[in-house]
Amino acid sequence: MARRQIRSLGRIAIGFALGVSAATALAGAGTYLALLDSIDRQVDLRLQGEARELLEGNATVPEIARRIARESSERESADIGFLLLDPRGRPLAGNIAPAVPLPIGLSTVREDAGITGLSRGRAWVRRLPGGETLAMVAESEPIDQHDRGRVRILVLGFGALVALLLLGTVALVRAIRINIAAIAGTAEAIIDGDLRARVPVDRPSSVFGGLALTFNRMLDRIGELMAGMRSISNDIAHDLRTPLARLHGRLAALANAPEAAPVREELAAAVAESEEILAIFAAILRISEIEGGDRRAGFERLDLAALAADVGEGLQLLVTESGRAFVPRLPDTPVPVEGDPRLLTQLLVNLIENAVTHTPRSTKIRLDVRRAEGMAVLEVADNGRGIPAEEREHALRRFGRLDASRHTRGHGLGLPLALAIARLHHGTLTLEDARPGLCVRIRLPLAD
Amino acid sequence: MPSPADTSPALHALIVEDDAQLSALLVLQLGGLGYAVTAAGDGRTAIAMLAETRYDVILLDRMLPAMDGVDVLRRIRAEGIETPVILLTALGLTPERVEGLDAGADDYIVKPFEIDELNARIRAVLRRRATPAADNATLTAGDVTVSVLRHRVTRAGKPIELQKTELKLLAELVREAGSVLSRKMLIERVWGYDFVPATNIVDVHILKLRQRLEMPGLPDPIVTVRGVGYMFRG
């Protein structure tokens, strides 16, 4: 069975505060009880000592009564209550009148015993040989009204302790949160594609500093592995390209030779196939190059609206001649972003070409650039068949081309390439429902 | 298809390429187009050969063993050899392209390429060397005149309305009238893309341009060169 783990910092804090409070309360109660117990024992010893004095030398009952009267008036033992009863229970001497009979031996007396001025005490009772009963009672409270005072002390002391504890816990939780947030922030940056993000380390010797260092070392290692993988796929693409290029060259040369006339069509198809494969390699290498992030070095400030206008102008005829409508909606005011104009051009061309190849004729293709929520937003939308919600994520993956019913050209790397370009620009690419149709939305940080 | 043999003495090309098979194929193909071709397997050999012989064009691989293609290029430019250079590369990445052009390359071609594409680029480079570009002037070829700055086009004296991209395309064809321009070259020069689009955007625009330039009794001024691109009649 999996152990339940408490993951909420708030709960950990509350649990901690409760635990410490309970421990403090227990310790307080224990001390209190031990104090009372030791006082009781002192009082018991005193009572026994007093009894020895009263009964000294096999004193007779009248003698005991006389001694009681004397002791009651003496300053030293004036706080002790005496009572001497005859065998039938009638008082012979003494200064107390308990409402209930006191048991033989040592016992604790409470307020309900009805002894004036006593809220807590000890009683010593003995049956004398003649059937009389001798009882003595003494207070065992350290101070008068001790318990009531004790409550106030407890409330104040305990309250202060809990308040301090809460403050300390809040500070501790805050410190932990800040450190966790630093690590989480770095993880978010990595997810966003900034593979160079690392957790800031103030004090390497501290626990969190050590954790941050370990985390950063893990990121370094992941970075190395990813670079290794990228270079492997790059190497494969590279190494396969050269022989493929040769094959392509030979086929093309053969297709042009006079003696190839009878099979020219087949050869042309083979040349086209090899071109397709080479285009895939080109796209893979391009995506790797973009994901490497080195292209950021060439970023410049540019106007996304003007760039979209240029691309729209260059592709307008392509869209309209294919029997589709082209509806650019571009703002007159600049929409500045930091970026690589060639890559952003490729992204936009990809999206518009995608819309042309994946929609039926007479589809309307909309190109939209605007500012929204502090971001530059670029949209290419169509009113074609769209992509079902559950397939959209798949469409963004490399080679994630949708099923054959979306009759296709191209290699299925158009959207992944666009996504890589958007991420390079610290932006996002999402596929939305244009009701009907597909809307590809790019959001890039504004460079205002 | 125009070949060097049509005009005059064979053009002499030096190929610097370490992939022996690709090099052999290029020698064969360029030879078929009428070039006189010499091959070198590495940069040092090429530099030694350039000290001995004058070539019309150098086809230089970007990635060579021992001495990188761009280093070779810098060396030969430093030695005052101004022969046109076309870099051959496996990657069409922009930073590489820029580095190559900065080092003194005249053009850049991404492997794999059609031999006709290479031929078109060699021609274009040689022509550019012979007649420096007149970007802003009025361009004329046959009965067509293009004024890029004033956005005006006439054929046989009659004005023709063109969209911006159509005009840029026509200007490029007219400027290089009589030479073949490949689709890739047009994509680079007219659209400014450093990648190959997935659609036939060049062909769509050529088709439109032909319709716009059409006049009764006058021939189609644009020639389609199969498998390569287009040429404006000179």
Side-chain angles (χ1 to χ4, degrees):
Chain A
M1 203 176 89
R3 257 181 62 184
R4 246 187 80 219
Q5 286 197 350
I6 300 170
R7 293 183 194 284
S8 147
L9 258 187
R11 277 193 200 172
I12 292 174
I14 290 169
F16 179 70
L18 283 177
V20 173
S21 304
T24 311
L26 265 175
T31 314
Y32 176 57
L33 290 176
L35 175 72
L36 290 186
D37 187 55
S38 82
I39 292 174
D40 281 358
R41 251 174 293 155
Q42 294 290 324
V43 173
D44 288 354
L45 286 175
R46 184 163 169 236
L47 286 175
Q48 282 163 339
E50 199 65 37
R52 264 198 303 281
E53 264 180 57
L54 282 182
L55 302 173
E56 200 180 10
N58 288 327
T60 59
V61 172
E63 177 60 26
I64 293 173
R66 254 197 316 281
R67 285 180 184 175
I68 285 176
R70 196 184 64 224
E71 291 290 320
S72 311
S73 59
E74 264 177 26
R75 197 174 179 282
E76 196 183 294
S77 50
D79 62 317
I80 297 180
F82 298 94
L83 182 64
L84 184 62
L85 299 171
D86 70 6
R88 282 190 290 170
R90 283 173 305 195
L92 296 173
N95 51 10
I96 55 170
V100 291
L102 300 169
I104 303 294
L106 286 164
S107 64
T108 296
V109 184
R110 303 194 182 280
E111 219 158 348
D112 54 15
I115 298 165
T116 322
L118 184 134
S119 59
R120 190 181 184 286
R122 295 288 286 174
W124 176 95
V125 180
R126 180 184 284 183
R127 187 84 67 190
L128 298 179
E132 299 84 0
T133 306
L134 175 63
M136 280 184 295
V137 174
E139 267 190 317
S140 65
E141 268 189 321
I143 317 164
D144 268 353
Q145 302 300 332
H146 170 266
D147 279 359
R148 220 173 295 161
R150 184 91 194 166
V151 168
R152 224 173 56 229
I153 290 165
L154 269 179
V155 167
L156 282 176
F158 195 67
L161 195 74
V162 168
L164 267 176
L165 185 70
L166 281 179
L167 275 176
T169 312
V170 166
L172 181 72
V173 164
R174 242 178 75 87
I176 294 173
R177 265 213 184 110
I178 287 170
N179 280 286
I180 289 179
I183 294 175
T186 305
E188 285 294 337
I190 299 269
I191 293 166
D192 279 352
D194 179 8
L195 298 178
R196 295 194 179 98
R198 292 294 181 268
V199 187
V201 183
D202 297 337
R203 280 186 303 167
S205 56
S206 68
V207 176
F208 283 110
L211 177 64
L213 283 177
T214 308
F215 192 78
N216 287 345
R217 281 215 329 269
M218 179 186 80
L219 292 178
D220 290 345
R221 182 83 186 110
I222 291 173
E224 281 165 27
L225 290 173
M226 283 186 62
M229 283 197 13
R230 200 177 301 130
S231 92
I232 286 172
S233 68
N234 265 354
D235 289 351
I236 291 173
H238 249 132
D239 290 356
L240 285 177
R241 263 170 71 99
T242 309
L244 259 170
R246 279 202 300 263
L247 175 69
H248 174 264
R250 283 184 187 190
L251 281 173
L254 199 57
N256 284 331
E259 55 271 40
V263 289
R264 182 151 293 144
E265 238 169 72
E266 271 303 299
L267 278 172
V271 169
E273 295 268 359
S274 65
E275 271 167 6
E276 185 94 337
I277 300 171
L278 285 159
I280 294 175
F281 282 135
I284 294 174
L285 290 170
R286 190 81 166 189
I287 291 175
S288 300
E289 183 209 1
I290 291 164
E291 285 179 344
D294 295 337
R295 289 289 288 250
R296 286 202 185 112
F299 273 18
E300 57 185 75
R301 198 187 160 94
L302 56 93
D303 177 10
L304 193 62
L307 185 135
D310 271 356
V311 173
E313 160 80 36
L315 295 182
Q316 164 104 40
L317 194 65
L318 175 85
V319 180
T320 50
E321 289 296 302
S322 76
R324 291 162 184 83
F326 188 57
V327 192
R329 286 205 306 222
L330 305 173
D332 300 325
T333 51
V335 179
V337 297
E338 282 285 325
D340 182 325
R342 288 171 181 275
L343 288 179
L344 289 174
T345 298
Q346 186 170 11
L347 175 146
L348 198 46
V349 171
N350 256 351
L351 296 183
I352 295 174
E353 284 190 329
N354 228 31
V356 171
T357 30
H358 294 295
T359 55
R361 287 178 73 86
S362 78
T363 297
K364 204 186 275 179
I365 295 171
R366 182 168 59 78
L367 168 63
D368 204 350
V369 172
R370 61 176 189 272
R371 289 161 179 261
E373 295 151 26
M375 300 286 276
V377 178
L378 183 153
E379 281 178 5
V380 175
D382 62 62
N383 58 352
R385 275 166 294 186
I387 300 179
E390 65 273 13
E391 286 174 32
R392 283 181 203 146
E393 198 182 322
H394 186 62
L396 288 175
R397 260 185 262 140
R398 284 181 210 184
F399 306 112
R401 191 162 62 186
L402 305 174
D403 68 89
S405 66
R406 276 175 76 81
H407 90 105
T408 45
R409 275 179 50 185
H411 40 61
L413 287 169
L415 279 176
L417 183 59
L419 176 65
I421 294 173
R423 282 189 178 154
L424 180 80
H425 288 81
H426 304 290
T428 57
L429 181 152
T430 49
L431 303 181
E432 316 273 341
D433 193 346
R435 297 165 199 278
L438 176 68
C439 170
V440 184
R441 181 175 299 151
I442 312 282
R443 294 160 60 87
L444 303 176
L446 273 171
D448 274 334
Chain B
M1 180 169 318
S3 77
D6 299 341
T7 46
S8 57
L11 288 169
H12 200 177
L14 173 66
I15 298 173
V16 192
E17 165 67 75
D18 62 314
D19 180 343
Q21 292 188 60
L22 181 61
S23 182
L25 184 68
L26 278 176
V27 170
L28 196 73
Q29 288 179 319
L30 286 175
L33 289 172
Y35 288 84
V37 194
T38 310
D42 61 77
R44 280 176 217 294
T45 315
I47 290 166
M49 289 166 91
L50 280 163
E52 302 282 315
T53 321
R54 212 197 132 267
Y55 296 90
D56 295 302
V57 64
I58 303 166
L59 309 175
L60 181 58
D61 186 25
R62 177 76 172 68
M63 290 209 288
L64 289 170
M67 199 176 180
D68 182 55
V70 174
D71 295 333
V72 174
L73 177 55
R74 288 201 185 99
R75 267 287 286 283
I76 62 180
R77 288 288 185 252
E79 283 175 22
I81 299 168
E82 290 303 321
T83 312
V85 169
I86 297 178
L87 279 177
L88 318 178
T89 175
L91 291 171
L93 309 180
T94 307
E96 280 195 352
R97 208 183 282 244
V98 170
E99 189 194 15
L101 296 178
D102 282 352
D106 293 79
D107 201 358
Y108 206 95
I109 188 166
V110 182
K111 295 180 199 173
F113 44 80
E114 309 273 351
I115 192 64
D116 295 326
E117 168 85 28
L118 179 62
N119 187 25
R121 284 181 189 263
I122 294 173
R123 300 275 142 198
V125 163
L126 292 178
R127 197 170 45 245
R128 213 179 305 147
R129 285 296 187 96
T131 52
D135 271 342
N136 301 328
T138 302
L139 307 162
T140 308
D143 52 9
V144 174
T145 306
V146 183
S147 170
V148 182
L149 277 186
R150 281 184 290 165
H151 195 96
R152 262 171 49 186
V153 176
T154 59
R155 181 167 198 202
K158 286 175 195 147
I160 290 169
E161 285 292 317
L162 289 184
Q163 297 292 316
K164 216 160 123 191
T165 311
E166 292 160 14
L167 185 110
K168 273 161 87 179
L169 176 59
L170 181 65
E172 208 55 50
L173 287 165
V174 168
R175 179 180 295 130
E176 310 248 357
S179 312
V180 183
L181 290 175
S182 73
R183 289 185 180 80
K184 277 181 192 162
M185 288 162 84
L186 290 170
I187 282 288
E188 286 166 17
R189 295 185 191 183
V190 177
W191 280 267
Y193 300 166
D194 64 343
F195 54 93
V196 183
T199 48
N200 55 342
I201 93 175
V202 176
D203 307 279
V204 169
H205 280 81
I206 292 283
L207 189 72
K208 196 69 182 177
L209 208 49
R210 278 178 167 147
Q211 290 169 9
R212 304 251 204 224
L213 293 173
E214 202 176 317
M215 280 190 184
L218 293 179
D220 182 354
I222 301 170
V223 181
T224 304
V225 183
R226 201 174 58 81
V228 190
Y230 299 96
M231 185 182 80
F232 206 84
R233 284 184 211 278

